[in-house]
Every structure is written in C-alpha cells, then in structure tokens.
Amino acid sequence: MLRALLYLQLATTLPLVGLIWFVQVVHYPLFRRVGAEVSAAYEQEHSRRTTRVVVAPMIAELACAAGLAFLRPPGLSGVLAVVGLALVLVIWASTFLLQVPQHGILEGGFDGSAHGRLVATNWIRTLAWT
C-alpha cells in the first residue's frame, strides 16, 4: 500500500510540474496581450477553468505527501518525505496568499502591477513543484 501511495504521489505531482511550467513560461506572460475590453472576462474564465483542472490533483498530492511524511515507506528517507510535504505546503500557501489575490485584482480588469506580481510570485510555486 505504501508503494502505491508513492506512485500516486508521482502521478499527481508530475503533471502539475508540467502544468506550472507551461503557466509560468507561456500562459501568465500572455495575459498582458489580452485586450483590455475582454481581460476581466478572460481572467474570470481562466480562474474557473484552471480551478476545475488543478483542484483534484492538488488535493490528492497534498494527501499523498502527508501520508508519505507520516507513514514513511521503507526505503524513503524521513527527511525527504518531510521536505516533500513542506514543499507542497509552500505551494498551497503561495497559491492562496500570493497568486489568488492577484487573480482577484485581474478579475476586475487588467492591472499591470497585479500581473507583474502574479508572474513574479508564481516562481515560488514553479520552483517548489519542480
């Protein structure tokens, strides 16, 4: 069972790593090119669709990371398991404390400062997931 938990952790984390790199390098920078007349609607739709895609894998990833940290399968370093959980918690904290507020501002229309903060602070999640 513990081996299955490790595989599930990989199955949830690896797609999220690919997604966050796409978002960081391609998607978020392109927000600047969305016309002002549609930027609020675009951001609202982005948030709605992205939430549907990432919520389940992020919850599963958090559950797996916690399980691995507390149950520690044989051969998995306790330090590595705790660091893994800590990185997932950094991702969640960054998401809700840094990125979500910027998305909230952008839902009112494009704001260059909020966009800049979104792109800059998203590096925290990008590096933590990597």
Side-chain angles (χ1 to χ4, degrees):
M1 180 185 113
L2 293 177
R3 178 169 279 165
L5 186 61
L6 182 58
Y7 288 136
L8 182 58
Q9 174 73 35
L10 287 171
T12 58
T13 299
L14 292 178
L16 289 168
V17 171
L19 179 62
I20 198 66
W21 274 99
F22 172 81
V23 166
Q24 182 64 28
V25 175
V26 176
H27 191 60
Y28 280 174
L30 287 175
F31 275 29
R32 186 171 294 286
R33 295 194 179 254
V34 175
E37 66 281 354
V38 296
S39 67
Y42 181 87
E43 171 62 37
Q44 291 165 8
E45 189 69 8
H46 157 81
S47 293
R48 186 179 67 76
R49 290 177 181 222
T50 300
T51 298
R52 285 195 317 220
V53 169
V54 302
V55 165
M58 284 182 70
I59 291 170
E61 178 188 43
L62 177 60
C64 290
L68 291 171
F70 292 105
L71 301 174
R72 284 192 285 220
L76 178 64
S77 160
V79 171
L80 185 60
V82 170
V83 168
L85 176 58
L87 287 170
V88 172
L89 293 174
V90 165
I91 291 163
W92 279 73
S94 179
T95 298
F96 289 102
L97 299 175
L98 300 173
Q99 286 79 50
V100 168
Q102 301 317 308
H103 282 293
I105 293 168
L106 292 168
E107 284 183 1
F110 187 78
D111 178 295
S113 295
H115 177 258
R117 285 189 300 274
L118 176 64
V119 172
T121 62
N122 195 58
W123 279 110
I124 296 167
R125 294 190 302 184
T126 303
L127 295 174
W129 253 314
T130 299

